[in-house]
Amino acid sequence: MVYVIVIDYKFRCLKTLGVHNMLEALKGLFKKKKIAAVAKEQTKSAKQIATEKGEPYFEILSMDIDPNDINAGAFEFDWNDKMIADLIRHGYQMDQRDTDADIIDRWFTAVCRNVVLETAEQYEAMSTRVVKSRDIGDGRTEVS
């Protein structure tokens, strides 16, 4: 009885919405409902965006340090073809057999070297120098 009441109640509701055929109403109740596909906005990665714009892309994905030797470690990189083409144009390909990873490694090593050299120059410039001066008479001073 409850089942009949539920169907009858649903049919009455459907009838008020303009459904006049009980068979059609029942088909509507038990047919597979189409799930509206929600259009997912696919977010593009920085690499995809740069590649589409024709710009070079490079990213450090991860850095691992050997727990037993703090001076040893590894980097994981990601890049696009435009980055490789730019590096080749700037002379980072030494041999035709160089892989993209060889070219990226050569460039990254040069970048790291430049950072170290610049830091060393700044350190030297900031170091305090001891200036000694000595009066040698006749209004003259010796500075060393």
Side-chain angles (χ1 to χ4, degrees):
M1 280 298 202
V2 175
Y3 182 71
V4 173
I5 292 171
V6 170
I7 290 178
D8 186 43
Y9 171 75
K10 286 186 179 180
F11 178 67
R12 285 184 196 168
C13 291
L14 290 171
K15 194 170 186 178
T16 59
L17 295 173
V19 178
H20 301 290
N21 184 346
M22 181 66 164
L23 183 59
E24 291 301 316
L26 288 174
K27 284 181 184 177
L29 289 174
F30 296 105
K31 73 179 179 180
K32 292 181 182 178
K33 295 181 180 174
K34 293 181 181 177
I35 299 173
V38 177
K40 271 188 176 179
E41 182 180 323
Q42 292 184 350
T43 56
K44 293 181 180 180
S45 69
K47 181 178 180 178
Q48 290 171 325
I49 293 169
T51 301
E52 287 175 2
K53 289 181 176 181
E55 297 173 349
Y57 170 82
F58 174 80
E59 182 178 4
I60 299 173
L61 298 177
S62 67
M63 182 182 88
D64 296 318
I65 297 175
D66 184 353
N68 299 322
D69 182 5
I70 196 73
N71 295 317
F75 290 95
E76 181 182 1
F77 304 131
D78 190 19
W79 60 84
N80 66 1
D81 291 337
K82 175 68 171 147
M83 180 70 176
I84 297 297
D86 285 357
L87 293 176
I88 290 171
R89 190 170 38 259
H90 286 92
Y92 284 97
Q93 183 179 26
M94 300 296 176
D95 190 316
Q96 289 293 346
R97 294 174 298 209
D98 282 348
T99 64
D100 291 354
D102 293 333
I103 295 167
I104 289 289
D105 182 60
R106 195 170 290 123
W107 167 77
F108 189 71
T109 300
V111 169
C112 292
R113 184 180 304 114
N114 290 337
V115 169
V116 169
L117 290 173
E118 185 175 313
T119 304
E121 287 174 4
Q122 288 176 355
Y123 180 75
E124 273 187 39
M126 291 174 29
S127 68
T128 57
R129 295 178 84 184
V130 177
V131 178
K132 295 180 183 178
S133 62
R134 184 175 68 115
D135 184 13
I136 56 173
D138 291 333
R140 298 184 322 188
T141 306
E142 180 182 76
V143 179
S144 61

